[in-house]
Amino acid sequence: MPGRDPREVLKDIRAALAEARRQAEAEARRQRAEETARRADADLFRAAVVGAARLDPGTARARLHRPAPPPLPLQRARDEQQALAASLSDGIDGDALIDSDAELSFARPGVGDQAVRRLRRGDWAVQGHLDLHGMTRDQARQAVADFLGAARISGQRCLRIVHGKGLGSVNREPVLKALVRRWLVQDIDVLAFAQARGSDGGAGAVLVLLRGSGGAPRRACAPAGLSTPRNPTPRRSR
């Protein structure tokens, strides 16, 4: 078999050398780009941590000194709940204190009628919900007392209690509806209440407004979709 033309062999060698040169240059460009990116990331990190203290290699954990949160008087709140449950009476006639309108609303003396109107309109966002369906009278009384006590601890001010319409009761009378309103009248922290809107339970539910605590600040009962007012306590309209 005759040998190849030396000129063709030389041409192939030159082509192979040129390809190797191109690959080497491409690899060098890639490495330079990676090095530039790495340095940029390092510069960005150093700029972000300017003034930061290096962690102790022995602990590898930052030591944060945060002030302890103020203690919550949980036991006192439980005692108050038990006392409230024991003091709520079915026999006290609160009907004289409740407005004789179709919705049996209530506003404590010194609280303007505006509070009741705003409760009826649903201006305030409901922050707590209690459903009394299926409960006996004693169970409902304890549940209401616990619910109001928990709302005081958490700073909730606008509540909804579902007592039902009494359709499943004897003689189809809303027994819990009247009892819940009597219990609410006896709690001095209840500023006002009114029947809920149809979308919130209508005649089967009551909306309740609690007073704010004089101690730890409470979340205001803000109108739904609006920011918290500076003075959330309803005032008498002039």
PDB file of all heavy atoms in Angstrom, residues 176-199:
ATOM      1  N   LEU A 176     -80.835  28.403  74.213  1.00  0.00           N
ATOM      2  CA  LEU A 176     -79.493  28.951  74.397  1.00  0.00           C
ATOM      3  C   LEU A 176     -79.399  30.403  73.955  1.00  0.00           C
ATOM      4  O   LEU A 176     -78.581  31.160  74.485  1.00  0.00           O
ATOM      5  CB  LEU A 176     -78.468  28.108  73.628  1.00  0.00           C
ATOM      6  CG  LEU A 176     -78.131  26.737  74.219  1.00  0.00           C
ATOM      7  CD1 LEU A 176     -77.097  26.033  73.368  1.00  0.00           C
ATOM      8  CD2 LEU A 176     -77.636  26.884  75.649  1.00  0.00           C
ATOM      9  N   LYS A 177     -80.213  30.799  73.028  1.00  0.00           N
ATOM     10  CA  LYS A 177     -80.164  32.189  72.555  1.00  0.00           C
ATOM     11  C   LYS A 177     -80.414  33.158  73.699  1.00  0.00           C
ATOM     12  O   LYS A 177     -79.661  34.131  73.895  1.00  0.00           O
ATOM     13  CB  LYS A 177     -81.180  32.398  71.439  1.00  0.00           C
ATOM     14  CG  LYS A 177     -81.236  33.826  70.909  1.00  0.00           C
ATOM     15  CD  LYS A 177     -82.212  33.939  69.753  1.00  0.00           C
ATOM     16  CE  LYS A 177     -82.239  35.359  69.184  1.00  0.00           C
ATOM     17  NZ  LYS A 177     -83.150  35.457  68.025  1.00  0.00           N
ATOM     18  N   ALA A 178     -81.453  32.909  74.481  1.00  0.00           N
ATOM     19  CA  ALA A 178     -81.766  33.788  75.605  1.00  0.00           C
ATOM     20  C   ALA A 178     -80.732  33.649  76.714  1.00  0.00           C
ATOM     21  O   ALA A 178     -80.329  34.641  77.331  1.00  0.00           O
ATOM     22  CB  ALA A 178     -83.165  33.470  76.139  1.00  0.00           C
ATOM     23  N   LEU A 179     -80.278  32.413  76.966  1.00  0.00           N
ATOM     24  CA  LEU A 179     -79.299  32.204  78.041  1.00  0.00           C
ATOM     25  C   LEU A 179     -77.972  32.888  77.736  1.00  0.00           C
ATOM     26  O   LEU A 179     -77.364  33.505  78.620  1.00  0.00           O
ATOM     27  CB  LEU A 179     -79.080  30.707  78.249  1.00  0.00           C
ATOM     28  CG  LEU A 179     -80.237  29.931  78.884  1.00  0.00           C
ATOM     29  CD1 LEU A 179     -79.925  28.442  78.924  1.00  0.00           C
ATOM     30  CD2 LEU A 179     -80.530  30.446  80.289  1.00  0.00           C
ATOM     31  N   VAL A 180     -77.511  32.770  76.499  1.00  0.00           N
ATOM     32  CA  VAL A 180     -76.229  33.387  76.132  1.00  0.00           C
ATOM     33  C   VAL A 180     -76.286  34.887  76.376  1.00  0.00           C
ATOM     34  O   VAL A 180     -75.340  35.483  76.906  1.00  0.00           O
ATOM     35  CB  VAL A 180     -75.886  33.071  74.658  1.00  0.00           C
ATOM     36  CG1 VAL A 180     -74.762  33.975  74.159  1.00  0.00           C
ATOM     37  CG2 VAL A 180     -75.486  31.614  74.502  1.00  0.00           C
ATOM     38  N   ARG A 181     -77.378  35.521  76.013  1.00  0.00           N
ATOM     39  CA  ARG A 181     -77.492  36.966  76.215  1.00  0.00           C
ATOM     40  C   ARG A 181     -77.525  37.307  77.706  1.00  0.00           C
ATOM     41  O   ARG A 181     -76.951  38.316  78.123  1.00  0.00           O
ATOM     42  CB  ARG A 181     -78.723  37.499  75.492  1.00  0.00           C
ATOM     43  CG  ARG A 181     -78.492  37.645  73.987  1.00  0.00           C
ATOM     44  CD  ARG A 181     -79.783  37.728  73.195  1.00  0.00           C
ATOM     45  NE  ARG A 181     -79.516  38.096  71.808  1.00  0.00           N
ATOM     46  CZ  ARG A 181     -79.015  37.284  70.887  1.00  0.00           C
ATOM     47  NH1 ARG A 181     -78.725  36.037  71.225  1.00  0.00           N
ATOM     48  NH2 ARG A 181     -78.806  37.693  69.646  1.00  0.00           N
ATOM     49  N   ARG A 182     -78.140  36.484  78.514  1.00  0.00           N
ATOM     50  CA  ARG A 182     -78.142  36.725  79.963  1.00  0.00           C
ATOM     51  C   ARG A 182     -76.727  36.568  80.526  1.00  0.00           C
ATOM     52  O   ARG A 182     -76.312  37.344  81.391  1.00  0.00           O
ATOM     53  CB  ARG A 182     -79.093  35.745  80.651  1.00  0.00           C
ATOM     54  CG  ARG A 182     -80.568  35.993  80.342  1.00  0.00           C
ATOM     55  CD  ARG A 182     -81.451  35.021  81.095  1.00  0.00           C
ATOM     56  NE  ARG A 182     -82.860  35.200  80.743  1.00  0.00           N
ATOM     57  CZ  ARG A 182     -83.853  34.479  81.242  1.00  0.00           C
ATOM     58  NH1 ARG A 182     -83.579  33.516  82.130  1.00  0.00           N
ATOM     59  NH2 ARG A 182     -85.086  34.700  80.874  1.00  0.00           N
ATOM     60  N   TRP A 183     -75.994  35.568  80.058  1.00  0.00           N
ATOM     61  CA  TRP A 183     -74.623  35.374  80.543  1.00  0.00           C
ATOM     62  C   TRP A 183     -73.722  36.530  80.124  1.00  0.00           C
ATOM     63  O   TRP A 183     -72.900  36.997  80.902  1.00  0.00           O
ATOM     64  CB  TRP A 183     -74.059  34.060  79.998  1.00  0.00           C
ATOM     65  CG  TRP A 183     -74.810  32.842  80.451  1.00  0.00           C
ATOM     66  CD1 TRP A 183     -75.574  32.716  81.584  1.00  0.00           C
ATOM     67  CD2 TRP A 183     -74.899  31.581  79.777  1.00  0.00           C
ATOM     68  NE1 TRP A 183     -76.124  31.467  81.664  1.00  0.00           N
ATOM     69  CE2 TRP A 183     -75.731  30.736  80.575  1.00  0.00           C
ATOM     70  CE3 TRP A 183     -74.370  31.070  78.606  1.00  0.00           C
ATOM     71  CZ2 TRP A 183     -76.022  29.426  80.202  1.00  0.00           C
ATOM     72  CZ3 TRP A 183     -74.656  29.763  78.228  1.00  0.00           C
ATOM     73  CH2 TRP A 183     -75.479  28.953  79.030  1.00  0.00           C
ATOM     74  N   LEU A 184     -73.892  36.996  78.905  1.00  0.00           N
ATOM     75  CA  LEU A 184     -73.051  38.090  78.406  1.00  0.00           C
ATOM     76  C   LEU A 184     -73.293  39.375  79.191  1.00  0.00           C
ATOM     77  O   LEU A 184     -72.358  40.118  79.481  1.00  0.00           O
ATOM     78  CB  LEU A 184     -73.322  38.323  76.915  1.00  0.00           C
ATOM     79  CG  LEU A 184     -72.871  37.212  75.962  1.00  0.00           C
ATOM     80  CD1 LEU A 184     -73.309  37.527  74.541  1.00  0.00           C
ATOM     81  CD2 LEU A 184     -71.361  37.004  76.020  1.00  0.00           C
ATOM     82  N   VAL A 185     -74.526  39.632  79.551  1.00  0.00           N
ATOM     83  CA  VAL A 185     -74.844  40.842  80.313  1.00  0.00           C
ATOM     84  C   VAL A 185     -74.127  40.828  81.667  1.00  0.00           C
ATOM     85  O   VAL A 185     -73.727  41.873  82.185  1.00  0.00           O
ATOM     86  CB  VAL A 185     -76.374  40.972  80.498  1.00  0.00           C
ATOM     87  CG1 VAL A 185     -76.701  42.046  81.528  1.00  0.00           C
ATOM     88  CG2 VAL A 185     -77.024  41.307  79.173  1.00  0.00           C
ATOM     89  N   GLN A 186     -73.922  39.642  82.240  1.00  0.00           N
ATOM     90  CA  GLN A 186     -73.309  39.534  83.559  1.00  0.00           C
ATOM     91  C   GLN A 186     -71.789  39.711  83.538  1.00  0.00           C
ATOM     92  O   GLN A 186     -71.184  39.901  84.596  1.00  0.00           O
ATOM     93  CB  GLN A 186     -73.648  38.166  84.169  1.00  0.00           C
ATOM     94  CG  GLN A 186     -75.134  37.944  84.399  1.00  0.00           C
ATOM     95  CD  GLN A 186     -75.427  36.529  84.855  1.00  0.00           C
ATOM     96  OE1 GLN A 186     -74.877  36.054  85.849  1.00  0.00           O
ATOM     97  NE2 GLN A 186     -76.286  35.831  84.127  1.00  0.00           N
ATOM     98  N   ASP A 187     -71.167  39.647  82.368  1.00  0.00           N
ATOM     99  CA  ASP A 187     -69.712  39.806  82.260  1.00  0.00           C
ATOM    100  C   ASP A 187     -69.405  41.283  82.056  1.00  0.00           C
ATOM    101  O   ASP A 187     -69.765  41.871  81.030  1.00  0.00           O
ATOM    102  CB  ASP A 187     -69.186  38.981  81.076  1.00  0.00           C
ATOM    103  CG  ASP A 187     -67.666  38.910  81.065  1.00  0.00           C
ATOM    104  OD1 ASP A 187     -67.027  39.848  81.567  1.00  0.00           O
ATOM    105  OD2 ASP A 187     -67.125  37.926  80.540  1.00  0.00           O
ATOM    106  N   ILE A 188     -68.698  41.894  83.001  1.00  0.00           N
ATOM    107  CA  ILE A 188     -68.459  43.331  82.938  1.00  0.00           C
ATOM    108  C   ILE A 188     -67.532  43.716  81.792  1.00  0.00           C
ATOM    109  O   ILE A 188     -67.438  44.892  81.427  1.00  0.00           O
ATOM    110  CB  ILE A 188     -67.864  43.852  84.271  1.00  0.00           C
ATOM    111  CG1 ILE A 188     -66.514  43.165  84.559  1.00  0.00           C
ATOM    112  CG2 ILE A 188     -68.832  43.645  85.410  1.00  0.00           C
ATOM    113  CD1 ILE A 188     -65.809  43.747  85.766  1.00  0.00           C
ATOM    114  N   ASP A 189     -66.813  42.743  81.228  1.00  0.00           N
ATOM    115  CA  ASP A 189     -65.932  43.049  80.104  1.00  0.00           C
ATOM    116  C   ASP A 189     -66.676  43.079  78.773  1.00  0.00           C
ATOM    117  O   ASP A 189     -66.096  43.446  77.751  1.00  0.00           O
ATOM    118  CB  ASP A 189     -64.798  42.029  80.022  1.00  0.00           C
ATOM    119  CG  ASP A 189     -63.743  42.272  81.096  1.00  0.00           C
ATOM    120  OD1 ASP A 189     -63.609  43.429  81.536  1.00  0.00           O
ATOM    121  OD2 ASP A 189     -63.057  41.307  81.494  1.00  0.00           O
ATOM    122  N   VAL A 190     -67.930  42.686  78.771  1.00  0.00           N
ATOM    123  CA  VAL A 190     -68.737  42.751  77.550  1.00  0.00           C
ATOM    124  C   VAL A 190     -69.285  44.165  77.417  1.00  0.00           C
ATOM    125  O   VAL A 190     -70.117  44.606  78.215  1.00  0.00           O
ATOM    126  CB  VAL A 190     -69.878  41.719  77.577  1.00  0.00           C
ATOM    127  CG1 VAL A 190     -70.800  41.916  76.376  1.00  0.00           C
ATOM    128  CG2 VAL A 190     -69.318  40.307  77.603  1.00  0.00           C
ATOM    129  N   LEU A 191     -68.812  44.890  76.424  1.00  0.00           N
ATOM    130  CA  LEU A 191     -69.270  46.261  76.209  1.00  0.00           C
ATOM    131  C   LEU A 191     -70.587  46.302  75.456  1.00  0.00           C
ATOM    132  O   LEU A 191     -71.447  47.153  75.740  1.00  0.00           O
ATOM    133  CB  LEU A 191     -68.213  47.049  75.424  1.00  0.00           C
ATOM    134  CG  LEU A 191     -66.878  47.299  76.122  1.00  0.00           C
ATOM    135  CD1 LEU A 191     -65.952  48.065  75.193  1.00  0.00           C
ATOM    136  CD2 LEU A 191     -67.083  48.061  77.424  1.00  0.00           C
ATOM    137  N   ALA A 192     -70.746  45.412  74.484  1.00  0.00           N
ATOM    138  CA  ALA A 192     -71.952  45.427  73.663  1.00  0.00           C
ATOM    139  C   ALA A 192     -72.069  44.100  72.937  1.00  0.00           C
ATOM    140  O   ALA A 192     -71.081  43.365  72.783  1.00  0.00           O
ATOM    141  CB  ALA A 192     -71.906  46.580  72.651  1.00  0.00           C
ATOM    142  N   PHE A 193     -73.297  43.807  72.502  1.00  0.00           N
ATOM    143  CA  PHE A 193     -73.490  42.674  71.601  1.00  0.00           C
ATOM    144  C   PHE A 193     -74.729  42.933  70.758  1.00  0.00           C
ATOM    145  O   PHE A 193     -75.588  43.756  71.089  1.00  0.00           O
ATOM    146  CB  PHE A 193     -73.593  41.341  72.348  1.00  0.00           C
ATOM    147  CG  PHE A 193     -74.715  41.225  73.342  1.00  0.00           C
ATOM    148  CD1 PHE A 193     -76.029  41.049  72.939  1.00  0.00           C
ATOM    149  CD2 PHE A 193     -74.459  41.256  74.708  1.00  0.00           C
ATOM    150  CE1 PHE A 193     -77.057  40.909  73.862  1.00  0.00           C
ATOM    151  CE2 PHE A 193     -75.474  41.132  75.635  1.00  0.00           C
ATOM    152  CZ  PHE A 193     -76.782  40.959  75.219  1.00  0.00           C
ATOM    153  N   ALA A 194     -74.795  42.233  69.628  1.00  0.00           N
ATOM    154  CA  ALA A 194     -75.908  42.389  68.698  1.00  0.00           C
ATOM    155  C   ALA A 194     -76.014  41.126  67.859  1.00  0.00           C
ATOM    156  O   ALA A 194     -75.048  40.364  67.722  1.00  0.00           O
ATOM    157  CB  ALA A 194     -75.707  43.606  67.799  1.00  0.00           C
ATOM    158  N   GLN A 195     -77.194  40.932  67.311  1.00  0.00           N
ATOM    159  CA  GLN A 195     -77.402  39.773  66.441  1.00  0.00           C
ATOM    160  C   GLN A 195     -76.509  39.880  65.219  1.00  0.00           C
ATOM    161  O   GLN A 195     -76.290  40.961  64.670  1.00  0.00           O
ATOM    162  CB  GLN A 195     -78.869  39.705  66.017  1.00  0.00           C
ATOM    163  CG  GLN A 195     -79.201  38.546  65.086  1.00  0.00           C
ATOM    164  CD  GLN A 195     -80.677  38.462  64.798  1.00  0.00           C
ATOM    165  OE1 GLN A 195     -81.499  38.362  65.720  1.00  0.00           O
ATOM    166  NE2 GLN A 195     -81.046  38.532  63.529  1.00  0.00           N
ATOM    167  N   ALA A 196     -75.968  38.745  64.782  1.00  0.00           N
ATOM    168  CA  ALA A 196     -75.062  38.724  63.635  1.00  0.00           C
ATOM    169  C   ALA A 196     -75.830  38.946  62.339  1.00  0.00           C
ATOM    170  O   ALA A 196     -77.049  38.749  62.257  1.00  0.00           O
ATOM    171  CB  ALA A 196     -74.320  37.384  63.583  1.00  0.00           C
ATOM    172  N   ARG A 197     -75.096  39.361  61.322  1.00  0.00           N
ATOM    173  CA  ARG A 197     -75.685  39.477  59.999  1.00  0.00           C
ATOM    174  C   ARG A 197     -76.056  38.086  59.476  1.00  0.00           C
ATOM    175  O   ARG A 197     -75.616  37.074  59.998  1.00  0.00           O
ATOM    176  CB  ARG A 197     -74.706  40.137  59.027  1.00  0.00           C
ATOM    177  CG  ARG A 197     -74.313  41.559  59.369  1.00  0.00           C
ATOM    178  CD  ARG A 197     -73.294  42.060  58.361  1.00  0.00           C
ATOM    179  NE  ARG A 197     -72.104  41.198  58.350  1.00  0.00           N
ATOM    180  CZ  ARG A 197     -71.151  41.270  57.435  1.00  0.00           C
ATOM    181  NH1 ARG A 197     -71.246  42.147  56.460  1.00  0.00           N
ATOM    182  NH2 ARG A 197     -70.094  40.474  57.493  1.00  0.00           N
ATOM    183  N   GLY A 198     -76.862  38.064  58.432  1.00  0.00           N
ATOM    184  CA  GLY A 198     -77.279  36.785  57.870  1.00  0.00           C
ATOM    185  C   GLY A 198     -76.112  35.935  57.436  1.00  0.00           C
ATOM    186  O   GLY A 198     -76.106  34.719  57.627  1.00  0.00           O
ATOM    187  N   SER A 199     -75.083  36.561  56.850  1.00  0.00           N
ATOM    188  CA  SER A 199     -73.922  35.808  56.386  1.00  0.00           C
ATOM    189  C   SER A 199     -73.074  35.285  57.534  1.00  0.00           C
ATOM    190  O   SER A 199     -72.243  34.400  57.341  1.00  0.00           O
ATOM    191  CB  SER A 199     -73.058  36.702  55.488  1.00  0.00           C
ATOM    192  OG  SER A 199     -72.639  37.852  56.189  1.00  0.00           O
TER     193      SER A 199
END
